[in-house]
């Protein structure tokens, strides 16, 4: 199996003595726990009351200031908290709310890692002088993550259509890290792929790769004969006006973070199937997605540890 983000040469191999605390999450976190356990970090789990798997040397604890006061690194789910500080966990039935008291208890050298942070978490960490690391802001993590996202999007397309991807008319909105991988995957399956972009350099790259690029201000005209529309842009882009131009057979798969970029109310009213599908890596390939997170966070923490050792 492909190995993501192999450690660089010259790294010290263990995190002995480093306290890593995981709060909540889903099946992806199991790979993170395993990784840090293998690196000999001291691992504490919060919000894993119903976890059946036993990891050697890993302890469970309640969410408290006392527990976090010992932490060098805190790892949250991909979507760290909601706007009220709630941290989701599929391994617990207890509600967990991350508060100012919890973040204030962290040592000042500690860092909080998550995939993407909402304003609540950003404000909480900034207020208390704690560094927040958003993994999905990193090109490497986002590109690796785009692979299971693209595969999941194709899976949804197959499940919700009565045609093959091969020969279908597909549209991908946005040629960012996810859009690029998805467009290439669809083309590899034999689809006719239109790509909606904003930047001239993206237009040139899409044309060079054999896609049919167009500028987003032409979206309504370009949408008239589409079987599958994939949106990766996290702003309202697939409006009622755009949906009105789509054929009734079209299926919209919105991969942008909640609330997506589609007018779902109007799509339902018009009878066009539209689905919001954020977080596909954790649904379709949690082991692979978990390894991507585990390797990225462990690299970052190892960098910090080694730079601290070198400074001494």
């Amino acid at each position: 199996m492909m190995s993501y983000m192999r450690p660089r040469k010259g790294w010290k191999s263990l995190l002995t003595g480093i306290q890593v605390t995981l709060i909540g999450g889903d099946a992806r976190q199991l790979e993170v726990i395993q990784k840090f356990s293998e690196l000999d970090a001291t691992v504490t789990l919060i919000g894993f009351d119903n976890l059946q798997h036993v990891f050697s040397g890993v302890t469970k604890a309640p969410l408290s200031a006392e527990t976090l006061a010992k932490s060098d690194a805190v790892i949250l789910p991909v979507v760290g908290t909601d706007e009220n500080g709630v941290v989701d966990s599929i391994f617990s039935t207890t509600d967990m709310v991350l508060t100012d008291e919890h973040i204030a208890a962290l040592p000042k050298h500690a860092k909080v890692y998550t995939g993407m942070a909402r304003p609540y978490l950003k404000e909480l960490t900034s207020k208390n002088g704690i560094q927040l690391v958003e993994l999905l802001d990193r090109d490497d993590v986002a590109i690796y993550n785009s692979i299971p996202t693209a595969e999941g999007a194709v899976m949804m397309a197959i499940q919700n259509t009565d045609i093959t991807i091969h020969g279908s008319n597909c549209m991908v909105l946005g040629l960012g890290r996810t859009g690029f991988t998805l467009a290439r995957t669809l083309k590899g399956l034999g689809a006719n792929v239109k790509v909606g972009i904003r930047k001239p350099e993206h237009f040139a790259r899409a044309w060079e790769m054999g896609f049919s690029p167009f500028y987003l201000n032409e979206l309504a005209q370009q949408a008239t004969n589409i079987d599958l529309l994939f949106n990766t842009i996290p702003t309202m882009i697939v409006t009622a006006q755009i949906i009105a131009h789509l054929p009734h057979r079209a299926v919209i798969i919105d991969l942008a973070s909640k609330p997506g970029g589609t007018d779902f109310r109007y799509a339902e009213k018009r009878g066009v199937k539209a689905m919001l599908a954020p977080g596909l890596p954790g649904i379709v390939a949690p082991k692979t997605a978990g390894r991507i997170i585990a390797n990225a966070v462990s690299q970052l923490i190892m960098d910090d540890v080694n730079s601290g050792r070198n400074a001494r």
Side-chain angles (χ1 to χ4, degrees):
M1 182 174 289
M2 181 176 180
S3 176
Y4 293 97
M5 298 181 186
R6 291 173 182 164
R8 294 187 288 275
K9 291 181 179 179
W11 275 24
K12 293 179 174 63
S13 58
L14 296 177
L15 290 173
T16 307
I18 301 300
Q19 174 69 55
V20 177
T21 303
L22 285 87
I23 307 177
D26 53 29
R28 285 173 283 193
Q29 305 303 82
L30 302 183
E31 294 296 320
V32 181
I33 298 167
Q34 182 67 40
K35 180 75 171 183
F36 282 100
S37 179
E38 291 172 356
L39 289 172
D40 197 37
T42 303
V43 180
T44 301
L45 306 181
I46 298 173
F48 289 81
D49 312 336
N50 301 327
L51 178 62
Q52 299 301 314
H53 189 91
V54 177
F55 293 93
S56 177
V58 172
T59 59
K60 297 178 183 178
L63 178 57
S64 68
E66 290 74 22
T67 299
L68 293 178
K70 306 169 188 175
S71 302
D72 298 302
V74 174
I75 303 174
L76 294 170
V78 172
V79 178
T81 71
D82 69 9
E83 295 296 1
N84 298 307
V86 176
V87 182
D88 283 333
S89 177
I90 67 169
F91 302 106
S92 177
T93 55
T94 304
D95 289 339
M96 294 183 295
V97 180
L98 198 62
T99 66
D100 183 74
E101 178 189 5
H102 297 135
I103 298 300
L106 288 169
K108 290 305 177 185
H109 70 269
K111 293 182 181 179
V112 175
Y113 298 87
T114 185
M116 53 184 289
R118 299 190 184 279
Y120 177 92
L121 181 59
K122 290 181 179 180
E123 183 178 341
L124 212 58
T125 50
S126 175
K127 174 184 175 183
N128 288 285
I130 298 297
Q131 186 173 340
L132 175 66
V133 179
E134 294 183 77
L135 297 171
L136 292 180
D137 278 348
R138 291 172 53 101
D139 278 336
D140 54 353
V141 175
I143 291 168
Y144 286 131
N145 219 41
S146 73
I147 300 168
T149 300
E151 290 188 10
V154 169
M155 178 194 74
M156 291 185 67
I158 292 170
Q159 290 174 338
N160 289 280
T161 57
D162 54 6
I163 59 172
T164 59
I165 300 294
H166 189 285
S168 66
N169 294 319
C170 294
M171 177 180 283
V172 177
L173 301 182
L175 199 64
R177 294 160 300 195
T178 296
F180 189 92
T181 301
L182 177 57
R184 189 173 50 79
T185 301
L186 293 167
K187 184 173 175 59
L189 289 170
N192 305 308
V193 183
K194 289 185 176 182
V195 180
I197 52 84
R198 286 197 175 98
K199 299 179 180 178
E201 59 267 33
H202 288 174
F203 190 103
R205 177 58 69 190
W207 181 85
E208 179 272 332
M209 292 196 68
F211 305 133
S212 299
F214 65 91
Y215 288 106
L216 287 172
N217 59 9
E218 305 166 1
L219 179 53
Q221 301 94 291
Q222 295 287 339
T224 55
N225 191 33
I226 294 300
D227 300 307
L228 287 158
L229 189 158
F230 301 87
N231 176 52
T232 69
I233 301 171
T235 57
M236 181 55 67
I237 185 77
V238 188
T239 61
Q241 180 187 11
I242 303 305
I243 295 169
H245 283 79
L246 287 170
H248 283 90
R249 69 175 185 278
V251 174
I252 301 169
I253 299 175
D254 198 322
L255 305 173
S257 56
K258 292 181 180 179
T262 300
D263 188 335
F264 292 100
R265 183 201 63 80
Y266 185 77
E268 181 179 5
K269 180 178 179 179
R270 190 165 180 269
V272 172
K273 187 181 291 186
M275 293 160 286
L276 180 62
L280 278 177
I283 297 170
V284 301
K287 182 176 283 290
T288 297
R291 286 176 179 171
I292 294 168
I293 295 169
N295 289 332
V297 178
S298 61
Q299 276 189 7
L300 291 170
I301 294 176
M302 193 77 77
D303 273 341
D304 287 344
V305 170
N306 285 332
S307 62
R309 286 168 177 162
N310 293 336
R312 290 196 295 270

